[in-house]
Amino acid sequence: MSKEKFHHTAKMQWEKLQEFPGPADVKIVREDPSLGAKTMLVRIPAGGRITPHSHRGIVQHFVLEGQYETDGQVCESGSYRMMPEHCNVSPISTKDGVTILMIYDPVSN
């Protein structure tokens, strides 16, 4: 039987997000490398810019604080965005900083 997991994210330390196409910090709350699944909080600093990239699987964003702009869209607090697998992600920029809940769905074969 699987066991529930709890994370009190306010008590977790921010870590530098490695292998990310721009400056950001992260708190990883779930990761299953065997499936390619991950859930994390990502904080992009004021003036931050994420360069164009793509993802193998589905990626979901839910903006918790702040806002970012991408491809002519403003994603502000409360915004949800879903990118299908193999989606080419346009540049992301934030003027005042943003915190995003990112969910990487398992990668299909």
Side-chain angles (χ1 to χ4, degrees):
M1 178 187 291
S2 296
K3 187 175 180 178
E4 290 180 278
K5 293 184 181 181
F6 292 89
H7 292 284
H8 299 280
T9 59
K11 296 179 182 179
M12 295 172 68
Q13 295 295 315
W14 288 100
E15 299 177 17
K16 285 288 178 203
L17 183 51
Q18 304 298 322
E19 301 176 20
F20 199 69
D25 296 316
V26 65
K27 293 181 181 184
I28 297 174
V29 295
R30 175 179 174 260
E31 184 170 25
D32 187 339
S34 68
L35 296 175
K38 187 183 290 189
T39 303
M40 59 191 185
L41 299 175
V42 174
R43 181 176 65 182
I44 303 170
R49 179 176 165 81
I50 306 304
T51 59
H53 60 283
S54 64
H55 298 280
R56 289 184 13 205
I58 295 169
V59 177
Q60 300 174 71
H61 285 185
F62 185 82
V63 179
L64 299 171
E65 296 178 333
Q67 69 179 33
Y68 71 83
E69 294 183 32
T70 185
D71 202 24
Q73 297 288 321
V74 175
C75 297
E76 57 193 8
S77 182
S79 295
Y80 171 81
R81 177 182 183 199
M82 191 280 297
M83 292 155 278
E85 56 189 336
H86 307 293
C87 175
N88 290 320
V89 181
S90 297
I92 294 171
S93 63
T94 177
K95 181 179 172 187
D96 298 317
V98 65
T99 302
I100 307 164
L101 172 66
M102 288 188 186
I103 302 168
Y104 289 75
D105 288 353
V107 175
S108 58
N109 293 329

